[in-house]
Amino acid sequence: MSYTYATLKQALQDYTENTETSFVNNLPLFIRSAEERILKSVQLNLFRRNASGVMSQGNKYLTVPQDFLAPYSLSYTSSSEEVFVEFKDVSFIQTYNPDSTVTGLPKYYASFTVELHYLYRPASLTAGADSGTTWLSENAELSLLYASLIEAYIFMKGEQDVMAMYDKRYQESLVGLKLLGEAKETTQNYRVGQVIRQKQ
């Protein structure tokens, strides 16, 4: 089972038995909020990208891509060698090099190509046509449905027991999604063995 934008909107109305105009007008908001909730709860390799940039002497900033959520790694290429830069907090960098005008190694410089590997925000299901789908609507349909229902029920100021049921179903659906994103996509049974999670 998967959802198109139209079928998910209809499912939200069917589950909540609500076709009131302001509720229906806010369906795109509920879905975008649900997508955001999922993206901030699970790391999936599918939502990783690389972007290139150019570093220049005297400029300590790089522009991040518009869909940037969080970094995975930053590297630059110098003399055909890829060098990874260790991620640190801004306060550490300011303490390590308090005078930003001071430059150090390498002694001779050129323009380095920089590659940022990052977690990105995919296009929302609401950005397309009613017949459109996204990876989440096709592969994480229960997470998307229940997260959307939570957002819709918050809007409706619904009953707490129903809200708790939606949240429980959402959390249950996240378990499989997290296993995919944080274990199955990043490990191999041959090298690390079967990933086993403790039963709840």
Side-chain angles (χ1 to χ4, degrees):
M1 174 182 91
S2 66
Y3 287 108
T4 64
Y5 183 27
T7 59
L8 182 57
K9 288 190 292 185
Q10 188 59 53
L12 291 174
Q13 292 174 72
D14 293 345
Y15 271 79
T16 59
E17 297 179 342
N18 191 342
T19 57
E20 188 267 324
T21 303
S22 66
F23 177 81
V24 173
N25 289 342
N26 279 287
L27 289 173
L29 174 64
F30 306 151
I31 295 169
R32 284 192 304 273
S33 298
E35 291 167 334
E36 193 71 15
R37 182 185 290 256
I38 294 167
L39 291 172
K40 301 248 174 95
S41 299
V42 182
Q43 293 182 13
L44 295 164
N45 283 341
L46 176 74
F47 300 124
R48 290 185 183 202
R49 281 192 173 157
N50 288 357
S52 295
V54 176
M55 292 192 318
S56 59
Q57 184 176 14
N59 181 8
K60 62 182 180 178
Y61 299 106
L62 288 172
T63 303
V64 296
Q66 285 187 324
D67 58 1
F68 177 87
L69 284 177
Y72 281 110
S73 66
L74 179 70
S75 65
Y76 66 87
T77 304
S78 176
S79 303
S80 300
E81 182 179 332
E82 190 163 6
V83 180
F84 283 87
V85 181
E86 188 175 347
F87 180 77
K88 293 287 185 183
D89 188 73
V90 173
S91 60
F92 175 88
I93 301 296
Q94 291 169 340
T95 302
Y96 179 78
N97 187 17
D99 184 355
S100 62
T101 62
V102 174
T103 56
L105 295 174
K107 187 173 183 180
Y108 303 103
Y109 77 95
S111 293
F112 298 107
T113 299
V114 177
E115 183 172 305
L116 175 66
H117 185 67
Y118 66 99
L119 177 67
Y120 80 98
R121 175 179 282 105
S124 172
L125 180 63
T126 65
D130 276 352
S131 60
T133 61
T134 62
W135 188 92
L136 287 176
S137 74
E138 291 184 334
N139 299 285
E141 64 276 2
L142 290 178
S143 296
L144 185 56
L145 171 65
Y146 287 114
S148 297
L149 284 168
I150 290 169
E151 298 301 329
Y153 230 61
I154 290 170
F155 176 84
M156 292 172 53
K157 298 169 183 61
E159 299 294 326
Q160 289 301 312
D161 58 335
V162 176
M163 176 75 80
M165 179 194 65
Y166 288 155
D167 187 59
K168 181 177 185 282
R169 296 266 175 97
Y170 171 68
Q171 296 300 331
E172 289 169 353
S173 71
L174 274 188
V175 171
L177 201 55
K178 281 180 154 295
L179 183 62
L180 173 66
E182 297 166 13
K184 290 181 180 176
E185 284 188 335
T186 57
T187 60
Q188 298 177 36
N189 288 354
Y190 177 75
R191 293 192 179 271
V192 298
Q194 181 74 30
V195 174
I196 298 172
R197 297 227 173 186
Q198 194 171 23
K199 292 185 179 181
Q200 295 181 357

